[in-house]
Amino acid sequence: MRLSFLLFLMCFSFFSFAHKDTGITIQKDGKLKGLPAKYLPATFKVQNLTLQIADRKLLIPECISKFFAKSELSFSSSWYHTRSKLPPYFNIIAAYPAKNIEYTFMFNMDTLELIKAYSFPYKRDIAGIRYSMEPIGLSADCIKSIKGS
C-alpha cells in the first residue's frame, strides 16, 4: 500500500510539473498573439513564409517550407522554462491529421536559428511523445540557410 501511494505521488508530481508550451495564435494580418513584450513585434506572413520575432526576421527556406504545403499550421512557444537546457523557443507546427503526422520546427527566439526539427504521429498520448519523436533529416545546406537577420 505504501509503495503504490509513493508511486502515485511520483506520477502526480511528474504530470503536475511537466512543462507545457504556450499556444500562440495568428491574426488575419499575420500578427502573432501570446508572446511577451520582449519578443514583439511578432508576425508570420503566410504569403512569403517570413517569421519575425522582435528585431529578427527569417524567410523560411524551401527545405522547411515544403513541410507546410496543405497542412494545418499552428504555433507554440516557451520563454519561461529553465534556460540551462533550451533557450526561449518558438515552434511552427504543420499537421496532417488525415496522414496522422505532425512536423514541428523549433526556433531559438533570440536568434531565429533552428534548434531541432522532428515529426510525431498526429494522434498520440503524453506517454507516447518521447518514444514517437523522429528527427527530420535536413541537409547541412538547409540548416546553413536558416539564419535570422
Side-chain angles (χ1 to χ4, degrees):
M1 173 91 170
R2 200 166 202 206
L3 180 60
S4 62
F5 181 72
L6 182 59
L7 288 172
F8 168 78
L9 284 178
M10 286 172 43
C11 289
F12 180 78
S13 296
F14 172 78
F15 288 110
S16 295
F17 298 107
H19 176 79
K20 184 167 173 58
D21 288 356
T22 297
I24 304 298
T25 57
I26 187 168
Q27 297 182 323
K28 288 182 182 180
D29 63 359
K31 287 183 182 173
L32 297 168
K33 294 292 181 187
L35 294 171
K38 177 181 179 177
Y39 295 108
L40 298 178
T43 60
F44 184 76
K45 301 292 185 179
V46 177
Q47 308 88 316
N48 62 2
L49 297 174
T50 302
L51 173 64
Q52 177 181 356
I53 296 180
D55 62 346
R56 297 260 187 215
K57 283 189 180 182
L58 172 67
L59 176 61
I60 307 290
E62 196 276 331
C63 57
I64 290 179
S65 66
K66 68 183 181 186
F67 291 93
F68 300 170
K70 299 180 182 177
S71 70
E72 295 175 11
L73 287 179
S74 62
F75 310 92
S76 66
S77 183
S78 176
W79 57 90
Y80 42 82
H81 58 271
T82 304
R83 291 179 182 239
S84 63
K85 293 189 179 189
L86 276 175
Y89 60 83
F90 183 83
N91 291 319
I92 300 176
I93 303 143
Y96 295 87
K99 296 179 180 179
N100 193 34
I101 195 157
E102 176 180 295
Y103 300 102
T104 299
F105 297 88
M106 179 186 284
F107 296 91
N108 180 323
M109 290 205 311
D110 295 323
T111 65
L112 293 186
E113 291 179 280
L114 185 69
I115 297 171
K116 59 176 125 171
Y118 48 90
S119 65
F120 287 116
Y122 182 72
K123 296 175 186 167
R124 62 188 182 272
D125 59 16
I126 292 175
I129 290 176
R130 169 186 259 180
Y131 302 106
S132 58
M133 281 179 74
E134 291 289 329
I136 297 172
L138 299 172
S139 71
D141 287 340
C142 176
I143 293 168
K144 284 181 191 174
S145 71
I146 304 166
K147 300 286 182 205
S149 60

